[in-house]
Amino acid sequence: MWLTARTVLLLPFLNYFAGKDVRVQRYTTKPEPQRLQFELRHQHAVSLGTHVVFSDVGPAARNMAGGNQTTYSLWTRNTSSFHPPSFSEHEAARIRSIRHAQSADFPWHEDEIIGPDTESRETILELAKMTNNAYVTPDDPVWYELSERWTKAYPFGWEPDSDGFRGYVFATADNSTIILSIKGTSAAIFSRGGPTAKKDKLNDNLLFSCCCAKIDWTWTTVCGCSRGGWKCDEDCLGQSLVDESLFYPIGTNLYNNLTYMYPTSNIWIIGHSLGGALASLIGITFGAPAVAFESPGEKLAAKRLHLPSPPSTHHVTHVYHTADPIAMGTCNGVFSSCALGGYAMETRCHLGKSIVYDTVSNLSWSVDIRTHGILTVIDNVLSQPWPASLEVGREVPVAEPQVDCVECYSWQFGDFPL
């Protein structure tokens, strides 16, 4: 039975209980890998500052797609992940860590669930198209056409002047698997900009700078945690990321809403750039499979958010290429393209595993911020077989964890109160 506007009216009440004792739903029997067909089901966005809203779209709105297809077919595989006993216990552990520097003391539960087959180029390509479409509406000419199997649209909450977190929800016909896509940064140097650009920049500079976007004396910092002499107060950084208007708590609220709407469904999370980093952070919080495209390093953000660390984060997969200075962590310094646009993108270490396409060596690309866009990845990296992988009998490069990754080495982090 499809969700209706009546269901949506209940969400404000569900939001209230979202942090109380949400149990992560999992299969009780071992799932078998298969090919799943998804359809566009919802849009999600933030209204009135922090409230996540959903709304159904009727036939007239679906017809606005202008012929663009909205269905996808993806291969799956069994994926092992770890999840906390409940979201409330996870949040309590975060608070203990923030206030008292105590480690998480709850047991992590390991499950084998169905996730996307990230060894399949076709599957990664379709996920990339779904991720691209988080930036636009179905009637936009930039909307990527998908397979003919995706035919229904049930959008929610995409007001033209909304200023924050937004994207889409896709689902199989039987609701067994849900995909949540999260929009990345909308900025003139990355794409066409838009109403979300200001809040996107705030989140970028908080999550991916070494210390409050302190580049040099000319910059206005986004928090007051730098102490001079390349010293940064860690407690101050943690507090600066607690604000509920920031994207991580909005994302966990959205995920909890989805578990109420689809209580027995398996949920995947995808995103590009900032959206990919948020997909990873939410995936680690709930043990949900996540695929992130061209994401800046989010490992430092997870530490600053005081996220309890599961035994493994290998259910998170990053996909990026070597000519993208943001994903590679080289878009930094006073004269970098990022800094000139007002972005302090200084992190480079990723959680989970990374599928890295060496476009510098194999395609002779130059390192350039203009290669960061998801359309470049779709058209020039994923749309054709990758010769370097085919030579060793694979469709995509091997997904490997980053080892010995160091970032922000010039900064000293610790207890430096004012």
Side-chain angles (χ1 to χ4, degrees), residues 160-171:
D161 58 349
S162 62
D163 66 347
F165 194 110
R166 71 188 192 195
Y168 288 97
V169 174
F170 304 87

Side-chain angles (χ1 to χ4, degrees), residues 129-242:
K129 291 178 179 179
M130 297 163 77
T131 300
N132 167 75
N133 292 348
Y135 289 92
V136 296
T137 54
D139 59 323
D140 193 299
V142 183
W143 178 276
Y144 248 97
E145 293 215 0
L146 308 161
S147 74
E148 66 280 358
R149 301 182 183 89
W150 298 66
T151 56
K152 296 183 191 265
Y154 296 84
F156 60 100
W158 259 49
E159 298 87 353
D161 58 349
S162 62
D163 66 347
F165 194 110
R166 71 188 192 195
Y168 288 97
V169 174
F170 304 87
T172 55
D174 62 358
N175 294 336
S176 63
T177 303
I178 307 296
I179 298 179
L180 166 64
S181 72
I182 303 173
K183 185 187 74 66
T185 298
S186 294
I189 60 170
F190 300 147
S191 59
R192 296 175 296 171
T196 70
K198 182 177 180 180
K199 193 166 287 186
D200 292 343
K201 179 183 286 189
L202 171 64
N203 278 267
D204 280 326
N205 284 338
L206 276 173
L207 293 172
F208 310 123
S209 69
C210 290
C211 188
C212 302
K214 178 67 174 179
I215 303 300
D216 66 12
W217 64 272
T218 65
W219 278 61
T220 300
T221 58
V222 292
C223 55
C225 305
S226 59
R227 298 293 183 258
W230 301 103
K231 293 181 179 179
C232 192
D233 186 75
E234 284 192 311
D235 288 340
C236 175
L237 281 175
Q239 291 297 327
S240 69
L241 293 170
V242 172

